[in-house]
Amino acid sequence: MPSPFPGMNPYLENPLRWSEVHHRLITAIAIAIESNLSLQYRVAIEKRIYLSEEEEESVTVAIPDVSVYSQSSTSSQTRSTMTLPAQTEAVTVRLPVPEEMREGYLEIREEETGYVVTAIEVISPTNKRAGMGRDAYEKKRRKVLSSPTNLVEIDLLRGGKPMRMNYRPNPAIGLSHFDC
């Protein structure tokens, strides 16, 4: 049965599935590109690692009922019992637990020197959402764009804030291009 969704399947953007989809995409792209490169270049699968503290990536923790007691080792002390009111339902809280995030990307390198000719990014939901993931990606993006390295961004996602691009027509060659 064909997909009822035109373009990218929105279920693939689910955080539980995206990591697998992303890894498969960059691996498939690397294989497709490598078979068409001359021998003076190679495709490298690289990764960016950072700690995420974003609220939507927090771990949900259930808090159980707790009882605290002290047991005395001497019999001469008076014992007392404290009873806490029974809790009628469980309480669920969200704790901002930092999680190590790993995002892959591709680089086309000169075989002899290792110089990066082109960086290829398959944009992830964390790249398009405010927080440490977007900050890390934008920092890398600025570094690449300020160098002679080419940058290819592949954004298949419907959600999130797109990467900033300025459209400027180029009348000299009759084509349009984007400046980031």
Side-chain angles (χ1 to χ4, degrees), residues 38-87:
S38 74
L39 294 177
Q40 75 182 73
Y41 298 103
R42 68 182 178 87
V43 177
I45 298 177
E46 300 292 342
K47 67 180 161 237
R48 175 175 39 260
I49 301 173
Y50 60 93
L51 288 179
S52 172
E53 294 179 10
E54 296 179 22
E55 185 176 314
E56 48 282 341
E57 293 171 15
S58 298
V59 177
T60 301
V61 180
I63 305 297
D65 292 334
V66 176
S67 60
V68 178
Y69 67 94
S70 172
Q71 190 168 3
S72 169
S73 61
T74 62
S75 60
S76 65
Q77 294 181 350
T78 307
R79 292 185 179 204
S80 62
T81 304
M82 181 174 88
T83 306
L84 298 174
Q87 193 157 344

Side-chain angles (χ1 to χ4, degrees), residues 8 12-14 17-30 45-48 102-106 120-127 137 154 156-157:
M8 182 70 171
L12 297 180
E13 294 183 36
N14 179 324
R17 293 188 181 160
W18 178 254
S19 178
E20 180 182 350
V21 170
H22 188 259
H23 287 296
R24 287 177 183 240
L25 278 171
I26 64 171
T27 301
I29 292 168
I45 298 177
E46 300 292 342
K47 67 180 161 237
R48 175 175 39 260
R102 296 173 182 256
E103 293 179 339
Y105 58 95
L106 300 173
I120 303 172
E121 289 278 353
V122 176
I123 303 297
S124 296
T126 54
N127 299 140
Y137 178 69
I154 302 170
L156 302 172
L157 303 171

Side-chain angles (χ1 to χ4, degrees), residues 2 4 15 24 33 40 45 61 64 80 83 92 95 97 100 104 108 110-111 114 127 133 138 140 143 163 176:
R24 287 177 183 240
I33 290 172
Q40 75 182 73
I45 298 177
V61 180
S80 62
T83 306
T92 302
L95 299 176
V97 178
E100 185 176 86
I108 298 176
E110 286 182 345
E111 187 65 59
N127 299 140
E138 285 181 341
K140 183 213 175 194
K143 184 177 176 182
M163 297 295 119
S176 301

